[in-house]
């Protein structure tokens, strides 16, 4: 089905859809293409993890796309054994082909049903709906195949949504840990991410419409938005900088039990979202330049942005800026402010 086992090349050659297909590899892996960029891999004797790896939700974030492409090749050609059920998702193929973050709308703000709210439809809204359905199908298929409640408890649901950021960052690799509505955070998952080279964790305290929040809220998965560095075009990524991430993800999918170190907060930078600043008019502007990095901190009272007559100033003793983007649509998030914290 895939020439040279290149799932990405097939996806980009069929950006708007692909007919479902299935086959079994020489190593006994059931391969099921559900749609373009949606590939379900099932080993003969699946372990206790149901793993979703997504990338390309923003089309210009190429390093995670390359990581997923290489992992898929290794599983399909048999060089990497598969121990667990695995769903690979390439989020926005038309935007990848265009080399753009999005075609019409930010796909990562369209989950948890947001794709069906408001007026009109577009390709990103249709894709968000399709990706939601794929995740639901993937997690439910194991449940449907099991016969007892005890067995249903065995599967550990995981979703790592891989990204790179528009700006550089004082912490190159960081993760957004979605709001869990009072449930405890997983120290084991935080240490898994640390093994991936992600030493900074941003704790969200509010519901969002991101892909990772959808999986955590709807299916009790351990879900994360994983930021692996700065946006660069295909061919310009130094993949050696992603070796820890790629190697640890390969271990996750290929080993039935992954041994992780004990929780060690000294290895981590922990932040909590203190405030969200939304753009309210076309006059919105930051007081800092395009070269200011994520996690740049400012003192209390510092003027961060203006929005017509509105002034946005630092409210705590110190707050750092994350994901600043003045070019978002009116009504969307222009940046996050975060402050240092500890795990729950």
């Amino acid at each position: 089905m895939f020439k040279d086992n290149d799932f990405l090349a097939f996806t980009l050659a069929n950006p708007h859809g692909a007919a479902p297909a299935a086959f079994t590899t020489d190593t006994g892996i059931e391969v099921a293409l559900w749609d373009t960029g949606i590939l379900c891999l099932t080993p003969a004797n699946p372990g206790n993890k149901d793993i979703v790896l997504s990338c390309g939700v923003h089309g210009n974030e190429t390093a995670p796309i390359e990581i997923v492409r290489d992992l898929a090749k290794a599983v399909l050609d048999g060089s990497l054994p598969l121990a667990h059920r695995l769903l690979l998702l390439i989020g926005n193929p038309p935007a990848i082909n265009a080399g753009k973050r999005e075609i019409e709308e930010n796909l990562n703000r369209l989950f948890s049903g947001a794709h069906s709210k408001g007026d009109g439809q577009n390709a990103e809204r249709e894709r968000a709906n399709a990706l939601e359905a794929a995740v639901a199908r993937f997690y439910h298929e194991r449940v449907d195949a099991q016969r007892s409640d005890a067995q249903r408890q065995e599967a550990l649901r995981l979703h790592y949504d891989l990204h790179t950021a528009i700006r550089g960052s004082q912490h190159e690799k960081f993760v957004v840990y979605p709001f869990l509505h009072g449930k405890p955070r997983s120290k084991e998952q935080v240490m898994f991410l640390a093994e991936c080279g992600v030493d900074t964790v941003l704790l969200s305290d509010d519901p969002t419409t991101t892909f990772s929040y959808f999986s955590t809220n709807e299916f009790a998965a351990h879900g994360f938005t994983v930021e692996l560095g700065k946006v660069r075009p295909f061919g310009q990524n130094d993949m050696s900088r992603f070796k820890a991430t790629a190697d640890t993800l390969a271990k996750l999918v290929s080993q039935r039990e992954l041994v992780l170190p004990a929780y060690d907060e000294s290895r981590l930078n922990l932040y909590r979202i203190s405030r969200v600043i939304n753009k309210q008019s076309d006059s919105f502007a930051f007081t800092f330049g395009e070269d200011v990095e994520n996690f740049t901190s400012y003192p209390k009272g510092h003027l961060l942005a203006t929005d017509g007559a509105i002034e946005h100033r630092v409210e705590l003793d110190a707050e750092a800026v994350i994901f600043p983007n003045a070019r978002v649509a009116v009504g969307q998030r222009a940046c996050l402010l975060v402050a240092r914290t500890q795990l729950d």
Side-chain angles (χ1 to χ4, degrees):
M1 182 192 305
F2 308 128
K3 184 180 179 181
D4 299 324
N5 293 313
D6 194 332
F7 171 49
L8 174 62
F10 177 89
T11 299
L12 299 186
N14 299 274
H16 301 291
F23 65 94
T24 302
T25 68
D26 293 339
T27 56
I29 297 170
E30 295 181 9
V31 180
L33 181 73
W34 292 349
D35 195 351
T36 191
I38 301 177
L39 189 68
C40 182
L41 304 170
T42 305
N45 183 25
N48 66 342
K49 298 182 180 75
D50 288 348
I51 304 165
V52 177
L53 295 181
S54 54
C55 66
V57 168
H58 296 136
N60 61 343
E61 298 176 3
T62 60
I65 299 168
E66 295 183 44
I67 291 171
V68 169
R69 175 201 62 195
D70 293 346
L71 187 145
K73 278 187 176 182
V75 171
L76 291 170
D77 69 22
S79 60
L80 181 69
L82 186 64
H84 306 282
R85 296 177 69 239
L86 176 62
L87 182 65
L88 300 178
L89 302 173
I90 298 176
N92 196 340
I96 298 171
N97 280 337
K100 297 170 62 175
R101 179 177 172 86
E102 61 208 45
I103 300 299
E104 295 186 57
E105 195 169 359
N106 184 351
L107 178 56
N108 207 30
R109 296 294 177 272
L110 294 174
F111 294 95
S112 297
H115 53 77
S116 299
K117 298 176 181 177
D119 296 329
Q121 276 293 308
N122 57 45
E124 266 111 357
R125 287 174 174 257
E126 292 173 2
R127 186 62 170 175
N129 186 41
L131 293 172
E132 285 185 351
V135 171
R137 175 180 174 182
F138 178 70
Y139 287 141
H140 286 154
E141 278 189 350
R142 181 190 288 261
V143 173
D144 292 343
Q146 291 172 338
R147 298 180 180 177
S148 72
D149 289 338
Q151 286 178 308
R152 292 175 191 176
Q153 300 298 322
E154 292 176 3
L156 181 67
R157 294 174 172 176
L158 305 171
H159 180 188
Y160 306 105
D161 185 31
L162 308 180
H163 290 257
T164 51
I166 296 172
R167 294 175 182 246
S169 179
Q170 294 188 8
H171 305 300
E172 183 184 49
K173 297 178 177 65
F174 61 97
V175 62
V176 180
Y177 200 144
F179 182 46
L180 298 185
H181 297 268
K183 297 176 184 175
R185 314 270 182 176
S186 170
K187 292 181 177 180
E188 181 179 61
Q189 282 296 303
V190 169
M191 293 315 295
F192 168 78
L193 291 160
E195 291 295 284
C196 286
V198 181
D199 65 356
T200 300
V201 181
L202 177 55
L203 306 177
S204 175
D205 285 336
D206 290 294
T208 66
T209 51
T210 63
F211 201 6
S212 62
Y213 174 79
F214 167 74
S215 295
T216 61
N217 189 54
E218 297 292 329
F219 304 104
H222 294 286
F224 303 87
T225 303
V226 185
E227 300 284 350
L228 295 175
K230 189 177 179 183
V231 166
R232 287 182 172 83
F234 282 117
Q236 296 185 25
N237 294 302
D238 178 1
M239 297 308 291
S240 68
R241 303 187 72 85
F242 307 99
K243 187 175 187 305
T245 303
D247 288 352
T248 305
L249 289 174
K251 290 177 183 177
L252 174 71
V253 304
S254 65
Q255 298 179 8
R256 296 188 77 82
E257 297 297 334
L258 184 62
V259 178
L260 296 170
Y263 180 72
D264 181 0
E265 200 157 292
S266 69
R267 293 181 58 180
L268 305 168
N269 303 293
L270 297 173
Y271 292 84
R272 188 176 299 277
I273 295 173
S274 55
R275 192 154 45 109
V276 179
I277 295 178
N278 293 319
K279 179 176 178 177
Q280 297 183 34
S281 75
D282 289 328
S283 62
F284 182 95
F286 289 112
T287 60
F288 49 82
E290 294 283 341
D291 57 344
V292 167
E293 297 183 324
N294 284 319
F295 294 100
T296 297
S297 183
Y298 294 96
K300 186 174 182 177
H302 183 85
L303 179 64
L304 293 169
T306 58
D307 197 349
I310 300 171
E311 291 187 344
H312 294 287
R313 295 181 180 271
V314 174
E315 295 179 350
L316 304 179
D317 289 340
E319 289 180 304
V321 176
I322 307 290
F323 303 133
N325 185 0
R327 290 185 290 274
V328 298
V330 171
Q332 290 196 0
R333 184 191 75 193
C335 75
L336 296 176
L337 296 180
V338 300
R340 292 276 187 171
T341 190
Q342 295 178 310
L343 205 59
D344 297 333

